[in-house]
Amino acid sequence: MTDLRTKLYQMFILGLSGDNYNSVLKQGLGGIIFFTDDIYSEKQFKNLISSIKSAAKIPPFLSIDQEGGRVERTENIHEGKKYLSAKFACEKGEDFLTAQTQDIAKELKSYGINLNFAPCIDVNTNPDNPIIGERSFSSDADKVIECEKIVSDIYKKNGIIPCVKHFPGHGDADKDSHLTLPFIDLSLKEMEKVHIKPFKYAIKNGVPMVMAAHLYCSCFENTPIPTSLSKNALEYLRNNLGFEGVVISDDMVMKGVSAFGKIQACLMGINAGINLFIYRNSDDETINMIESIYDIAKNDKSLIEKIEYSYEKITDLKKEYIFDNI
């Protein structure tokens, strides 16, 4: 019987910065996210992943942001060779996109990565968008839908979990959610016509994970609450779009969400419907936050139910992609 503390730790993917990751892996940490500074060489990275797997109480998500272009975490290994970003890969055509994605999947699989936070399926409608740009396949929603299917299917066939992002669509933003909370003032009808459309089709295509953005969308909330903490937005994702997989937050240290306070933001996220959280650090502050959530949950029946629901979603996904491939 898995205890509540372990179930709660399964809801977190942490980065290596802070050096507590080994100790919390033994307590049931859900996964690890790797950044460029963690990866020096092929041998070093494989050894790092092997040591993490050995330390883990439960086989972990071993995750990365490997989109290509400016979001590519293994560039130290490549010695100058880079994958093309989504925009330029898309412009080269389906054959090129297919071949490049197969190369990325093969590389990630060789290291032991089992979760890639890609593809990025934002529709880049705002030319002044400071954070999406070439990370988007296109400003045309239908083209984004075509590319998502190619990329997600290749990852799934290679035993790597694809995660589409950033729901409900970051493409119309004019600010960077790493620095502030962007505001998207579009009606739900407008959002559905363009920005939500690729998520609708990705879900129909069976994508197993969706990342919620730190965006304030007026179609879901009357006050500045990020989608990642918005019960209205995440219930729409479940009930209207029919998503049954794992809902993950974007990095919770980003300014678009951190202003709510570490513990409060996490509680809001759990209550809204987030199943899995990313924190780029495994420092004392982050671990203390998780322990504080555990202390609160012990006496909160509703919170316990949400943690157990998320644990079931996470376990189901791991059974499909990870437990059988250890």
Side-chain angles (χ1 to χ4, degrees), residues 45-122:
F45 192 33
K46 286 180 178 179
N47 288 341
L48 174 61
I49 285 180
S50 179
S51 68
I52 286 168
K53 289 168 76 173
S54 296
K57 178 179 181 178
I58 298 172
F61 292 115
L62 297 162
S63 65
I64 200 165
D65 288 283
Q66 190 84 334
E67 300 172 17
R70 71 173 189 252
V71 182
E72 183 178 325
R73 306 306 189 202
T74 60
E75 56 192 344
N76 291 334
I77 296 176
H78 295 160
E79 297 180 354
K81 180 193 172 187
K82 286 182 71 70
Y83 297 112
L84 293 187
S85 62
K87 176 181 186 290
F88 299 116
C90 173
E91 288 175 352
K92 278 185 167 285
E94 289 187 9
D95 288 347
F96 181 88
L97 179 62
T98 298
Q100 174 170 284
T101 306
Q102 286 173 336
D103 287 344
I104 293 173
K106 184 179 178 182
E107 181 190 10
L108 296 182
K109 192 72 175 174
S110 74
Y111 304 138
I113 294 292
N114 54 38
L115 167 57
N116 191 12
F117 297 122
C120 177
I121 60 171
D122 305 290

Coordinates of all heavy atoms in Angstrom, one line a residue, residues 45-122:
F45 N 26.2 11.9 -19.1 CA 24.7 12.0 -19.0 C 24.1 10.6 -18.8 O 23.2 10.4 -17.9 CB 24.2 12.7 -20.2 CG 22.7 13.0 -20.1 CD1 22.2 13.5 -18.9 CD2 21.9 13.0 -21.3 CE1 20.8 13.8 -18.9 CE2 20.6 13.4 -21.2 CZ 20.0 13.8 -20.0
K46 N 24.6 9.6 -19.5 CA 24.1 8.2 -19.3 C 24.4 7.8 -17.9 O 23.5 7.1 -17.2 CB 24.7 7.3 -20.3 CG 24.2 7.5 -21.7 CD 24.9 6.5 -22.7 CE 24.3 6.6 -24.1 NZ 25.0 5.7 -25.0
N47 N 25.6 8.1 -17.3 CA 25.9 7.7 -16.0 C 25.0 8.4 -14.9 O 24.6 7.8 -13.9 CB 27.4 8.0 -15.7 CG 28.3 7.0 -16.4 OD1 27.9 5.9 -16.8 ND2 29.6 7.4 -16.5
L48 N 24.7 9.7 -15.2 CA 23.9 10.4 -14.3 C 22.5 9.8 -14.3 O 21.9 9.6 -13.2 CB 23.8 11.9 -14.8 CG 22.8 12.8 -14.1 CD1 23.1 12.9 -12.6 CD2 22.8 14.2 -14.8
I49 N 21.9 9.5 -15.4 CA 20.6 8.9 -15.5 C 20.6 7.5 -14.8 O 19.6 7.2 -14.1 CB 20.1 8.8 -17.0 CG1 19.7 10.2 -17.4 CG2 18.9 7.8 -17.1 CD1 19.2 10.3 -18.8
S50 N 21.6 6.8 -15.0 CA 21.7 5.4 -14.4 C 21.7 5.6 -12.9 O 21.0 4.8 -12.2 CB 23.0 4.7 -14.9 OG 23.1 3.5 -14.3
S51 N 22.4 6.5 -12.4 CA 22.5 6.7 -10.9 C 21.2 7.2 -10.3 O 20.8 6.8 -9.2 CB 23.6 7.7 -10.5 OG 23.3 9.0 -11.0
I52 N 20.5 8.0 -11.1 CA 19.1 8.5 -10.7 C 18.1 7.3 -10.6 O 17.4 7.2 -9.7 CB 18.6 9.6 -11.6 CG1 19.4 10.9 -11.3 CG2 17.1 9.8 -11.5 CD1 19.2 12.0 -12.4
K53 N 18.2 6.5 -11.7 CA 17.3 5.3 -11.7 C 17.6 4.4 -10.5 O 16.6 3.8 -9.9 CB 17.4 4.6 -13.0 CG 16.8 5.4 -14.2 CD 17.2 4.8 -15.5 CE 16.5 3.5 -15.9 NZ 16.7 3.1 -17.3
S54 N 18.8 4.2 -10.2 CA 19.2 3.3 -9.1 C 18.7 3.9 -7.7 O 18.4 3.1 -6.8 CB 20.7 3.2 -9.0 OG 21.2 2.5 -10.2
A55 N 18.7 5.2 -7.6 CA 18.3 5.8 -6.3 C 16.8 5.9 -6.1 O 16.4 6.1 -5.0 CB 18.9 7.3 -6.2
A56 N 16.1 5.8 -7.2 CA 14.6 6.0 -7.1 C 13.8 4.9 -6.5 O 14.0 3.7 -6.8 CB 14.1 6.3 -8.5
K57 N 12.9 5.3 -5.6 CA 12.0 4.3 -5.0 C 11.0 3.8 -6.0 O 10.6 2.6 -6.0 CB 11.3 5.0 -3.8 CG 10.2 4.2 -3.1 CD 9.6 5.0 -2.0 CE 8.6 4.2 -1.2 NZ 8.0 4.9 -0.1
I58 N 10.6 4.7 -6.9 CA 9.6 4.4 -7.9 C 10.3 4.9 -9.2 O 10.8 6.0 -9.3 CB 8.3 5.0 -7.7 CG1 7.6 4.5 -6.4 CG2 7.3 4.8 -8.9 CD1 6.4 5.3 -6.0
P59 N 10.2 4.1 -10.3 CA 10.9 4.5 -11.6 C 10.4 5.9 -12.0 O 9.2 6.1 -12.0 CB 10.4 3.4 -12.6 CG 10.3 2.2 -11.8 CD 9.7 2.7 -10.4
P60 N 11.3 6.8 -12.2 CA 10.9 8.2 -12.4 C 10.7 8.7 -13.8 O 11.2 8.0 -14.7 CB 12.2 9.0 -11.8 CG 13.3 8.1 -12.1 CD 12.8 6.6 -12.1
F61 N 10.0 9.7 -14.0 CA 10.0 10.5 -15.2 C 11.4 11.0 -15.4 O 11.9 11.7 -14.5 CB 9.0 11.6 -15.3 CG 7.6 11.2 -15.3 CD1 6.7 11.5 -14.2 CD2 7.0 10.5 -16.4 CE1 5.4 11.1 -14.2 CE2 5.7 10.1 -16.4 CZ 4.9 10.4 -15.3
L62 N 12.0 10.8 -16.5 CA 13.4 11.4 -16.8 C 13.1 12.3 -18.0 O 13.0 11.9 -19.1 CB 14.3 10.3 -17.1 CG 14.6 9.3 -16.0 CD1 15.2 8.0 -16.4 CD2 15.5 10.0 -14.9
S63 N 13.0 13.6 -17.7 CA 12.4 14.6 -18.6 C 13.4 15.6 -19.1 O 14.4 15.9 -18.4 CB 11.2 15.2 -18.0 OG 11.6 16.0 -16.9
I64 N 13.0 16.3 -20.2 CA 13.9 17.3 -20.9 C 13.0 18.1 -21.8 O 11.9 17.7 -22.2 CB 15.0 16.5 -21.7 CG1 16.1 17.5 -22.0 CG2 14.4 15.9 -23.0 CD1 17.4 16.7 -22.4
D65 N 13.4 19.4 -22.0 CA 12.8 20.2 -23.1 C 13.7 20.1 -24.3 O 14.8 20.8 -24.4 CB 12.8 21.7 -22.6 CG 11.7 21.9 -21.5 OD1 10.6 22.0 -21.9 OD2 12.1 22.1 -20.4
Q66 N 13.4 19.3 -25.2 CA 14.2 19.1 -26.4 C 13.3 19.4 -27.6 O 12.8 18.5 -28.3 CB 14.8 17.7 -26.5 CG 15.8 17.5 -27.6 CD 17.2 17.9 -27.1 OE1 17.4 18.8 -26.3 NE2 18.2 17.3 -27.7
E67 N 13.1 20.7 -27.9 CA 12.3 21.1 -29.0 C 13.1 21.2 -30.3 O 12.6 21.0 -31.4 CB 11.6 22.4 -28.7 CG 10.8 22.5 -27.5 CD 10.3 23.9 -27.2 OE1 10.4 24.8 -28.0 OE2 9.9 24.1 -26.0
G68 N 14.4 21.6 -30.2 CA 15.2 22.0 -31.3 C 15.3 23.5 -31.3 O 14.5 24.2 -30.7
G69 N 16.3 24.0 -32.1 CA 16.5 25.5 -32.1 C 17.0 26.0 -30.8 O 17.9 25.5 -30.2
R70 N 16.3 27.1 -30.3 CA 16.9 27.7 -29.0 C 16.5 27.0 -27.8 O 17.0 27.3 -26.7 CB 16.4 29.2 -29.0 CG 15.0 29.4 -28.7 CD 14.8 30.9 -28.4 NE 13.4 31.3 -28.0 CZ 12.5 31.8 -28.7 NH1 12.7 32.1 -29.9 NH2 11.3 32.1 -28.1
V71 N 15.6 25.9 -27.9 CA 15.3 25.1 -26.7 C 15.8 23.7 -27.0 O 15.1 22.8 -27.5 CB 13.8 25.1 -26.4 CG1 13.5 24.3 -25.2 CG2 13.3 26.5 -26.2
E72 N 17.1 23.5 -26.7 CA 17.7 22.2 -27.0 C 18.7 22.0 -25.9 O 19.7 22.8 -25.7 CB 18.4 22.3 -28.3 CG 19.1 21.0 -28.7 CD 19.7 21.0 -30.1 OE1 19.1 21.7 -31.0 OE2 20.7 20.4 -30.3
R73 N 18.5 21.0 -25.1 CA 19.3 20.8 -23.8 C 20.6 20.0 -24.0 O 21.4 20.0 -23.1 CB 18.5 20.2 -22.7 CG 17.2 20.9 -22.4 CD 17.3 22.3 -22.1 NE 16.1 22.9 -21.6 CZ 15.8 24.2 -21.6 NH1 16.7 25.1 -22.1 NH2 14.6 24.6 -21.2
T74 N 20.7 19.3 -25.1 CA 21.9 18.4 -25.3 C 23.0 19.1 -26.2 O 23.8 18.4 -26.8 CB 21.5 17.0 -25.9 OG1 20.9 17.2 -27.2 CG2 20.6 16.3 -25.0
E75 N 22.9 20.4 -26.3 CA 23.8 21.0 -27.3 C 25.3 20.9 -26.9 O 26.2 20.9 -27.8 CB 23.5 22.5 -27.4 CG 23.4 23.3 -26.1 CD 22.8 24.7 -26.3 OE1 22.6 25.1 -27.5 OE2 22.4 25.3 -25.3
N76 N 25.6 20.7 -25.6 CA 27.0 20.5 -25.3 C 27.6 19.2 -25.8 O 28.8 19.1 -26.1 CB 27.2 20.4 -23.7 CG 26.9 21.8 -23.1 OD1 27.1 22.8 -23.7 ND2 26.5 21.8 -21.8
I77 N 26.7 18.2 -26.1 CA 27.1 16.9 -26.6 C 27.3 17.1 -28.1 O 28.2 16.4 -28.7 CB 26.1 15.8 -26.3 CG1 26.0 15.6 -24.8 CG2 26.4 14.5 -27.0 CD1 24.9 14.6 -24.4
H78 N 26.5 17.9 -28.8 CA 26.5 18.0 -30.2 C 27.7 18.7 -30.8 O 27.9 18.7 -32.1 CB 25.2 18.6 -30.7 CG 24.0 17.9 -30.4 ND1 22.7 18.4 -30.4 CD2 23.8 16.5 -30.1 CE1 21.9 17.5 -30.1 NE2 22.5 16.3 -29.9
E79 N 28.4 19.5 -30.0 CA 29.6 20.2 -30.5 C 29.3 21.1 -31.7 O 29.9 21.1 -32.8 CB 30.7 19.2 -30.9 CG 31.3 18.4 -29.8 CD 32.4 17.5 -30.2 OE1 32.7 17.4 -31.4 OE2 33.0 16.8 -29.3
G80 N 28.2 22.0 -31.5 CA 27.9 23.0 -32.5 C 26.8 22.6 -33.5 O 26.1 23.4 -34.0
K81 N 26.5 21.3 -33.6 CA 25.4 20.9 -34.5 C 24.1 21.0 -33.7 O 24.0 20.6 -32.5 CB 25.6 19.4 -34.9 CG 24.4 18.9 -35.8 CD 24.5 17.4 -35.9 CE 23.2 16.9 -36.6 NZ 23.2 15.4 -36.6
K82 N 23.1 21.6 -34.3 CA 21.8 21.8 -33.6 C 20.7 21.4 -34.5 O 20.8 21.4 -35.7 CB 21.6 23.3 -33.3 CG 22.5 23.9 -32.2 CD 22.2 25.3 -31.9 CE 20.9 25.5 -31.2 NZ 20.8 25.0 -29.8
Y83 N 19.6 20.9 -33.8 CA 18.4 20.6 -34.5 C 17.7 22.0 -34.9 O 17.9 23.0 -34.2 CB 17.5 19.8 -33.6 CG 18.0 18.5 -33.2 CD1 18.3 18.2 -31.9 CD2 18.1 17.5 -34.2 CE1 18.8 16.9 -31.5 CE2 18.6 16.2 -33.8 CZ 18.9 15.9 -32.5 OH 19.3 14.7 -32.1
L84 N 16.9 21.9 -35.9 CA 16.2 23.1 -36.3 C 15.0 23.3 -35.3 O 14.4 22.3 -34.8 CB 15.6 23.0 -37.7 CG 16.7 23.0 -38.9 CD1 15.9 23.1 -40.2 CD2 17.6 24.2 -38.7
S85 N 14.6 24.6 -35.1 CA 13.4 24.9 -34.3 C 12.2 24.4 -35.1 O 12.2 24.1 -36.3 CB 13.3 26.4 -34.0 OG 13.2 27.1 -35.3
A86 N 11.1 24.4 -34.4 CA 9.8 23.8 -34.9 C 9.4 24.6 -36.2 O 9.0 24.0 -37.2 CB 8.7 24.0 -33.9
K87 N 9.5 25.9 -36.2 CA 9.1 26.7 -37.4 C 9.9 26.3 -38.6 O 9.3 26.1 -39.7 CB 9.4 28.2 -37.1 CG 9.1 29.1 -38.2 CD 9.4 30.6 -37.8 CE 9.0 31.6 -38.9 NZ 9.8 31.5 -40.1
F88 N 11.2 26.2 -38.5 CA 12.1 26.0 -39.7 C 12.0 24.5 -40.1 O 12.1 24.2 -41.3 CB 13.5 26.4 -39.4 CG 13.6 27.9 -39.1 CD1 14.0 28.4 -37.9 CD2 13.2 28.8 -40.1 CE1 14.1 29.7 -37.7 CE2 13.3 30.2 -39.9 CZ 13.7 30.6 -38.7
A89 N 11.8 23.6 -39.1 CA 11.6 22.2 -39.5 C 10.3 22.0 -40.2 O 10.3 21.3 -41.2 CB 11.7 21.3 -38.2
C90 N 9.3 22.7 -39.8 CA 8.0 22.6 -40.4 C 8.1 23.2 -41.9 O 7.5 22.6 -42.8 CB 7.0 23.4 -39.6 SG 5.4 23.6 -40.4
E91 N 8.8 24.3 -42.0 CA 8.9 24.9 -43.3 C 9.7 24.0 -44.3 O 9.5 24.1 -45.5 CB 9.6 26.3 -43.2 CG 8.7 27.3 -42.6 CD 9.4 28.7 -42.4 OE1 10.7 28.7 -42.6 OE2 8.8 29.6 -42.0
K92 N 10.5 23.1 -43.8 CA 11.3 22.2 -44.7 C 10.4 21.0 -45.2 O 10.8 20.3 -46.0 CB 12.5 21.7 -44.0 CG 13.7 22.7 -44.1 CD 15.0 22.1 -43.5 CE 16.2 22.9 -43.9 NZ 16.6 22.7 -45.3
G93 N 9.2 20.9 -44.6 CA 8.3 19.9 -45.0 C 8.2 18.7 -44.1 O 9.0 18.5 -43.2
E94 N 7.2 17.9 -44.3 CA 6.9 16.7 -43.5 C 8.0 15.7 -43.4 O 8.3 15.1 -42.4 CB 5.6 16.0 -43.9 CG 4.3 16.9 -43.6 CD 3.1 16.1 -44.0 OE1 3.1 14.9 -44.2 OE2 2.0 16.7 -43.9
D95 N 8.7 15.4 -44.5 CA 9.7 14.5 -44.6 C 10.9 14.9 -43.6 O 11.5 14.1 -42.9 CB 10.3 14.2 -46.0 CG 9.3 13.5 -46.9 OD1 8.3 12.9 -46.3 OD2 9.4 13.5 -48.1
F96 N 11.2 16.2 -43.7 CA 12.3 16.7 -42.9 C 11.9 16.6 -41.4 O 12.7 16.2 -40.5 CB 12.7 18.1 -43.2 CG 13.8 18.7 -42.4 CD1 15.1 18.5 -42.8 CD2 13.6 19.3 -41.2 CE1 16.2 19.0 -42.0 CE2 14.6 19.8 -40.4 CZ 15.9 19.6 -40.8
L97 N 10.7 17.1 -41.1 CA 10.2 17.1 -39.7 C 10.2 15.7 -39.2 O 10.6 15.4 -38.0 CB 8.8 17.7 -39.6 CG 8.2 17.7 -38.2 CD1 9.0 18.6 -37.3 CD2 6.7 18.3 -38.3
T98 N 9.8 14.7 -40.0 CA 9.7 13.3 -39.5 C 11.1 12.8 -39.2 O 11.4 12.2 -38.2 CB 9.1 12.5 -40.6 OG1 7.7 12.9 -40.8 CG2 9.1 11.0 -40.3
A99 N 12.1 13.1 -40.2 CA 13.4 12.6 -40.0 C 14.1 13.2 -38.8 O 14.8 12.5 -38.0 CB 14.3 12.9 -41.3
Q100 N 13.9 14.5 -38.6 CA 14.6 15.2 -37.5 C 14.0 14.7 -36.1 O 14.7 14.5 -35.2 CB 14.4 16.7 -37.5 CG 14.9 17.4 -36.3 CD 15.0 18.9 -36.4 OE1 15.9 19.4 -37.0 NE2 14.1 19.6 -35.7
T101 N 12.7 14.5 -36.1 CA 12.0 14.0 -34.9 C 12.5 12.6 -34.5 O 12.7 12.3 -33.4 CB 10.5 14.1 -35.0 OG1 10.1 15.4 -35.3 CG2 9.8 13.7 -33.7
Q102 N 12.7 11.8 -35.6 CA 13.2 10.4 -35.3 C 14.6 10.5 -34.8 O 15.0 9.7 -33.9 CB 13.1 9.6 -36.6 CG 11.7 9.2 -37.0 CD 11.7 8.6 -38.4 OE1 12.5 8.8 -39.3 NE2 10.6 7.7 -38.6
D103 N 15.4 11.5 -35.3 CA 16.8 11.6 -34.7 C 16.7 12.1 -33.3 O 17.5 11.5 -32.4 CB 17.5 12.7 -35.6 CG 17.9 12.1 -36.9 OD1 17.9 10.9 -37.2 OD2 18.3 13.0 -37.8
I104 N 15.9 13.0 -33.0 CA 15.7 13.5 -31.6 C 15.3 12.3 -30.7 O 15.9 12.1 -29.6 CB 14.8 14.7 -31.5 CG1 15.3 15.9 -32.2 CG2 14.5 15.0 -30.0 CD1 14.3 17.1 -32.3
A105 N 14.3 11.6 -31.1 CA 13.7 10.5 -30.3 C 14.8 9.4 -30.1 O 15.0 8.9 -28.9 CB 12.5 9.9 -31.0
K106 N 15.5 9.1 -31.1 CA 16.6 8.1 -31.0 C 17.7 8.5 -30.0 O 18.2 7.8 -29.2 CB 17.2 7.8 -32.4 CG 18.2 6.7 -32.4 CD 18.8 6.5 -33.8 CE 19.9 5.4 -33.8 NZ 20.4 5.2 -35.2
E107 N 18.1 9.8 -30.1 CA 19.1 10.3 -29.2 C 18.6 10.3 -27.8 O 19.3 9.8 -26.9 CB 19.4 11.8 -29.6 CG 20.5 12.3 -28.7 CD 20.8 13.8 -28.8 OE1 20.0 14.5 -29.5 OE2 21.7 14.3 -28.2
L108 N 17.4 10.8 -27.5 CA 16.9 10.9 -26.2 C 16.7 9.4 -25.6 O 17.1 9.2 -24.4 CB 15.5 11.6 -26.1 CG 15.6 13.1 -26.5 CD1 14.2 13.7 -26.4 CD2 16.6 13.9 -25.7
K109 N 16.3 8.5 -26.4 CA 16.1 7.1 -26.0 C 17.5 6.5 -25.6 O 17.5 5.8 -24.6 CB 15.4 6.3 -27.1 CG 15.0 5.0 -26.7 CD 13.7 5.1 -25.8 CE 13.2 3.7 -25.5 NZ 12.1 3.8 -24.5
S110 N 18.5 6.9 -26.3 CA 19.8 6.3 -26.0 C 20.4 6.7 -24.7 O 21.1 6.0 -24.1 CB 20.8 6.7 -27.1 OG 21.2 8.1 -27.0
Y111 N 19.9 7.9 -24.2 CA 20.4 8.4 -22.9 C 19.5 7.8 -21.8 O 20.0 7.7 -20.6 CB 20.3 9.9 -22.8 CG 21.0 10.7 -23.8 CD1 20.5 11.8 -24.4 CD2 22.3 10.3 -24.2 CE1 21.2 12.5 -25.4 CE2 23.0 11.0 -25.2 CZ 22.4 12.1 -25.8 OH 23.1 12.8 -26.8
G112 N 18.3 7.4 -22.1 CA 17.4 6.9 -21.1 C 16.2 7.9 -20.8 O 15.4 7.7 -19.8
I113 N 16.1 9.0 -21.5 CA 15.0 9.9 -21.4 C 13.7 9.2 -21.7 O 13.6 8.5 -22.8 CB 15.2 11.2 -22.3 CG1 16.4 12.0 -21.8 CG2 14.0 12.0 -22.3 CD1 16.3 12.6 -20.4
N114 N 12.7 9.5 -20.9 CA 11.4 8.9 -21.2 C 10.2 9.9 -21.4 O 9.1 9.5 -21.6 CB 11.0 7.8 -20.2 CG 11.0 8.3 -18.8 OD1 10.7 9.4 -18.5 ND2 11.5 7.5 -17.9
L115 N 10.5 11.2 -21.2 CA 9.5 12.2 -21.3 C 10.2 13.5 -21.9 O 11.2 14.0 -21.4 CB 9.0 12.6 -19.9 CG 8.1 13.8 -19.7 CD1 6.9 13.8 -20.7 CD2 7.7 14.0 -18.3
N116 N 9.6 13.9 -23.0 CA 10.1 15.2 -23.7 C 8.9 16.2 -23.6 O 7.8 15.9 -24.1 CB 10.5 14.9 -25.1 CG 11.2 16.1 -25.7 OD1 11.6 17.0 -25.0 ND2 11.4 16.1 -27.0
F117 N 9.2 17.4 -23.1 CA 8.2 18.5 -23.1 C 8.2 19.1 -24.5 O 8.6 20.2 -24.7 CB 8.6 19.4 -22.0 CG 8.5 18.8 -20.6 CD1 9.7 18.8 -19.8 CD2 7.4 18.2 -20.1 CE1 9.6 18.3 -18.5 CE2 7.3 17.6 -18.9 CZ 8.5 17.6 -18.1
A118 N 7.6 18.4 -25.4 CA 7.4 18.8 -26.8 C 6.4 17.8 -27.4 O 6.2 16.7 -26.8 CB 8.8 18.6 -27.5
P119 N 5.7 18.2 -28.4 CA 5.9 19.5 -29.2 C 5.2 20.7 -28.6 O 4.2 20.5 -27.9 CB 5.3 19.1 -30.5 CG 4.2 18.1 -30.2 CD 4.7 17.3 -29.1
C120 N 5.7 21.8 -28.9 CA 5.1 23.1 -28.6 C 4.1 23.4 -29.7 O 4.4 23.5 -30.8 CB 6.2 24.2 -28.6 SG 5.7 25.9 -28.3
I121 N 2.8 23.4 -29.3 CA 1.7 23.6 -30.3 C 1.0 24.9 -30.1 O -0.2 25.0 -30.5 CB 0.8 22.4 -30.3 CG1 0.1 22.2 -28.9 CG2 1.5 21.1 -30.6 CD1 -1.1 21.1 -29.0
D122 N 1.7 25.9 -29.6 CA 1.1 27.3 -29.6 C 1.1 27.7 -31.1 O 2.0 27.5 -31.9 CB 2.0 28.2 -28.8 CG 2.3 27.7 -27.4 OD1 1.3 27.7 -26.6 OD2 3.4 27.2 -27.1

